[in-house]
Amino acid sequence: MSRAVGAPSAGRTARHNGRVAQHVAALPPSGIRKFFDLVLGVPDVVSLGVGEPDFSTPWNIREQAIYRIETGRTAYTSNHGLMDLREALARWLANRYGLDYDPATEMLITVGASEAIDLALRALLNPGDEVLVLEPCYVSYKPTVALAGGVPVPVPTHQRDGFRPDFAALEAAVTGRTRALIINYPNNPTGATFGPEDLARLQRLAETHDLVVISDEIYAELTYDKRHHSLPALPGMKERTILVSGFSKAHAMTGWRLGYACAPRDLLEAMVKIHQYTMLCAPTLSQYAGLEALEHSDEDVAAMREEYDMRRRLIVTGLNSLGLKTLLPEGAFYAFADITPTGLTSEQFCAELLRAEKVAVVPGGAFGECGEGFFRASYAAGFDRIETALERIGRFLGR
Ligand SMILES: Cc1ncc(COP(=O)(O)O)c(C=O)c1O
C-alpha cells in the first residue's frame, strides 16, 4: 500500500530526514563556527578569533539599563523603537556623518545590525533576485540572501588592490536579475574602508543598474587616521541606500542586541512590517542603554578606538615581520594576513596553528573563496595576548 510522505509508520529516522526545509538544509555551516568547535576544549588557547570587543560596555551605559530595570521600564516599545532613541540617533547621524533621516518614518531600531540586514533583504527580494556581495565579507551575508529567497553573487576583492571594489568585475556580475549590492566598510575581515572616490563609483554603478545598496557601516566609528564617509550622505544616494549599523562594536555592546536601519520611507515601511510580526521591538532595556551610549559615551568610544589603534600597529608590524603580508587596516579590528608562502590552505594553517601552538585565528576561506590563502586575526584582544600569539605564530612558521 502506498503511504503519504511522512506518514506515522515511516519510522522515526526516516520521518525526520527531510523535515527541514530544503533551502535551510542546503546552507553550509558557518566556517567560523566549524572552526571554533575545534577551539572548544583546548586549554590555554590564545584566541584572536572572535569578532567582538574585549572591553565591557562602558559603565554609564550599564548603569542606565540597571536604572531602567529599577524603575520598571520593562514593557514593549513602539515597533519602530523608542522615539527618544530615534530622535537622538537622527541628531547623532546628522552631526557625525551629515545624514538627514526622519525619526518617524525613515528609522527602525533592530535586534542588532544582523536583524537589519535580514529585514532589508527580505523586504527587497523576490525569489531568484540576485544580490552582489563584495568578498571577502562578513559570514552572514550570503546565507541571509539565500534565506530571503535571493541568489548571492560574490564579487572578489584582492589584497593587491587594497581590497577596494573591482568595478570591472562588479559591472560584469550585473544581470537582469540583480536587485541589490551589499557593501561593508570598514570591512570585516579585511579592515579596508572606502573613500569618496570608491563611493562615487559605487553610486554610478547603483544608478546605472537601478540597484539598492545595503551599506553595512557598523565599524564606522572604528575608523583610524581618516574620516568615515557614509554612503547615503552622497547627494542622490539616500533614495537607494539602506544604511545598517548598530552599537555592538564601537560601544562594546554585542550582547545587548541593538542595531538600526535607516532607509527611504517605502523600504523602511516594508521592513517594519516584517519586524513587527517577527520581533515586535528591539529589547527595551537595550534601547535605553543605546540612548545613553549616543548621548554620553563619546569619550569611552574614543578611548577604545585609541587602544585598538595601538594594537593594530603591533599586530600588523608583527605579522609582516614574520613574512605574512598584512595591510594596515583602515578600520574595524581585524588584520587579514597572507599565508600563501606557507603553501597551506587557510583551514590547514589555522587547524595546525591551533594544534601546535594553541593560537586561534579564523581561516580566510570562511569569508569567501577569495579569502582563501589568508587568516583573520582580531585585535580586539589585549597587548599581551597579541604579543604571545605573535611569538607562537613565529615559532610555528619556524618549524
Ligand atoms: C560587518 C558586520 N555586520 C554586522 C555584524 C553583526 O552585528 P550585530 O551584533 O549588531 O548584529 C557583524 C558582527 O560581527 C559584522 O562584522
Side-chain angles (χ1 to χ4, degrees), residues 152-181:
V153 178
V155 179
T157 63
H158 303 283
Q159 193 188 49
R160 61 174 182 269
D161 305 323
F163 295 108
R164 304 232 121 57
D166 174 345
F167 286 93
L170 274 169
E171 280 288 348
V174 174
T175 72
R177 296 301 311 258
T178 312
R179 285 277 287 139
L181 162 68

Side-chain angles (χ1 to χ4, degrees), residues 32 50-52 110-117 137-141 183-189 216-219 244-249 253-260 332-334 367 376:
I32 293 191
V50 291
E52 66 179 326
T110 56
V111 182
S114 301
E115 192 211 354
I117 296 163
C137 69
Y138 178 46
V139 292
S140 86
Y141 294 158
I183 58 172
N184 166 226
Y185 69 103
N187 182 269
N188 172 8
D216 180 347
E217 302 181 24
I218 193 165
Y219 294 101
V244 167
S245 192
F247 294 77
S248 286
K249 309 294 176 173
M253 291 179 70
T254 46
W256 298 76
R257 309 311 302 128
L258 190 67
Y260 55 90
F333 38 55
Y334 308 105
F367 306 97
R376 185 194 79 176

Side-chain angles (χ1 to χ4, degrees), residues 55-336:
F55 298 105
S56 296
T57 306
W59 171 243
N60 61 313
I61 301 176
R62 286 184 270 159
E63 198 174 33
Q64 182 61 224
I66 294 167
Y67 170 68
R68 297 298 172 170
I69 292 180
E70 283 174 349
T71 50
R73 296 300 182 95
T74 52
Y76 295 133
T77 67
S78 136
N79 294 137
H80 282 80
L82 283 173
M83 188 43 122
D84 285 354
L85 174 58
R86 280 179 281 149
E87 283 174 352
L89 189 54
R91 283 193 299 275
W92 187 85
L93 289 170
N95 288 339
R96 302 286 299 166
Y97 302 116
L99 297 170
D100 175 22
Y101 283 107
D102 174 12
T105 59
E106 297 176 325
M107 303 178 81
L108 171 64
I109 307 299
T110 56
V111 182
S114 301
E115 192 211 354
I117 296 163
D118 182 41
L119 292 176
L121 291 164
R122 287 203 276 160
L124 274 173
L125 301 181
N126 287 308
D129 282 348
E130 294 173 7
V131 179
L132 305 179
V133 182
L134 279 179
E135 282 189 337
C137 69
Y138 178 46
V139 292
S140 86
Y141 294 158
K142 288 193 294 183
T144 319
V145 170
L147 287 171
V151 179
V153 178
V155 179
T157 63
H158 303 283
Q159 193 188 49
R160 61 174 182 269
D161 305 323
F163 295 108
R164 304 232 121 57
D166 174 345
F167 286 93
L170 274 169
E171 280 288 348
V174 174
T175 72
R177 296 301 311 258
T178 312
R179 285 277 287 139
L181 162 68
I182 305 183
I183 58 172
N184 166 226
Y185 69 103
N187 182 269
N188 172 8
T190 67
T193 197
F194 301 155
E197 209 178 291
D198 302 307
L199 297 180
R201 292 184 74 182
L202 283 167
Q203 171 162 18
R204 273 202 297 282
L205 179 92
E207 285 173 351
T208 307
H209 301 288
D210 194 19
L211 308 179
V212 171
V213 184
I214 299 173
S215 190
D216 180 347
E217 302 181 24
I218 193 165
Y219 294 101
E221 288 292 300
L222 298 179
T223 302
Y224 313 100
D225 308 328
K226 303 179 196 162
R227 198 163 80 73
H228 177 84
H229 297 269
S230 183
L231 183 69
L234 268 62
M237 267 322 270
K238 182 178 159 183
E239 274 321 293
R240 53 176 71 254
T241 303
I242 300 177
L243 171 67
V244 167
S245 192
F247 294 77
S248 286
K249 309 294 176 173
H251 291 92
M253 291 179 70
T254 46
W256 298 76
R257 309 311 302 128
L258 190 67
Y260 55 90
C262 302
R265 200 178 281 221
D266 58 331
L267 291 177
L268 195 95
E269 213 171 279
M271 290 168 69
V272 174
K273 213 191 264 184
I274 306 169
H275 171 81
Q276 74 191 0
Y277 290 129
T278 53
M279 218 53 76
L280 277 169
C281 66
T284 301
L285 295 171
S286 302
Q287 294 192 52
Y288 282 112
L291 182 56
E292 173 69 19
L294 289 178
E295 290 184 336
H296 301 113
S297 296
D298 286 359
E299 277 177 25
D300 287 309
V301 171
M304 289 188 273
R305 184 172 47 236
E306 268 170 40
E307 178 70 21
Y308 294 136
D309 189 3
M310 288 189 287
R311 296 171 180 182
R312 142 182 104 120
R313 292 170 198 282
L314 173 72
I315 195 166
V316 169
T317 310
L319 290 169
N320 278 304
S321 69
L322 294 174
L324 304 178
K325 186 174 175 197
T326 309
L327 303 182
L328 187 68
E330 298 165 291
F333 38 55
Y334 308 105
F336 206 53

